[in-house]
Amino acid sequence: MKECLFCKIIKGEIPCDKVYEDETVYAFKDINPKAPVHLLVIPKKHYPTLNDLPDEEMEIIAHIHCVMKKLALEFGVAESGYRVLANINKEGGQVVYHVHYHLIGGRQLRA
Ligand code: AMP
Ligand code: ZN
């Protein structure tokens, strides 16, 4: 996926503020934060949306949640509270078509 922004970030072709990396997952600060803590957690493997993730590869989502749990602790929002969300396709508000979870916290969030 040569033209995918997040694939380029993973490859180091576009700079980012990386907060976590392992064999299958990468996480970095959102460039346009909606709250004091706003991280993006993504699989290294390219899937445009969650719709494209085969059932047999769904363990990556559990792993992403494990990473988000650790990052919430590390960034000091585990107890105060935070939100994780994934936007899917146009009406879901998805702008970057590489599966990603937002981890947002550090202020009172509204519905
Ligand atoms: P979504 O609307 O769910 O597709 O979210 C895409 C997110 O990617 C937005 O919150 C953007 O602020 C964020 N974003 C776009 N470009 C970059 C970048 N170069 N580095 C970090 N975050 C980015
Ligand atoms: Zn990608």
Side-chain angles (χ1 to χ4, degrees), residues 6-107:
F6 287 175
C7 284
K8 285 181 177 172
I9 286 178
I10 291 164
K11 284 188 258 171
E13 294 172 7
I14 289 176
C16 77
D17 201 341
K18 182 171 86 172
V19 297
Y20 179 86
E21 180 175 12
D22 65 24
E23 272 184 20
T24 56
V25 170
Y26 200 89
F28 51 99
K29 292 186 180 175
D30 195 294
I31 205 166
N32 182 23
K34 303 280 189 291
V37 176
H38 189 166
L39 310 177
L40 297 173
V41 186
I42 70 178
K44 283 187 171 174
K45 184 167 177 184
H46 180 90
Y47 309 95
T49 81
L50 278 171
N51 294 335
D52 303 302
L53 219 163
D55 289 355
E56 58 274 17
E57 295 180 35
M58 210 49 87
E59 69 272 13
I60 188 65
I61 298 302
H63 182 44
I64 284 174
H65 276 264
C66 289
V67 170
M68 292 193 291
K69 191 173 81 168
K70 289 194 190 85
L71 286 170
L73 265 179
E74 185 181 328
F75 281 81
V77 296
E79 291 306 318
S80 54
Y82 61 103
R83 183 171 291 165
V84 298
L85 63 94
N87 298 322
I88 297 152
N89 276 334
K90 183 170 172 289
E91 291 188 8
Q94 187 172 7
V95 173
V96 177
Y97 282 79
H98 179 127
V99 164
H100 56 280
Y101 279 83
H102 297 256
L103 190 168
I104 301 170
R107 67 169 170 81

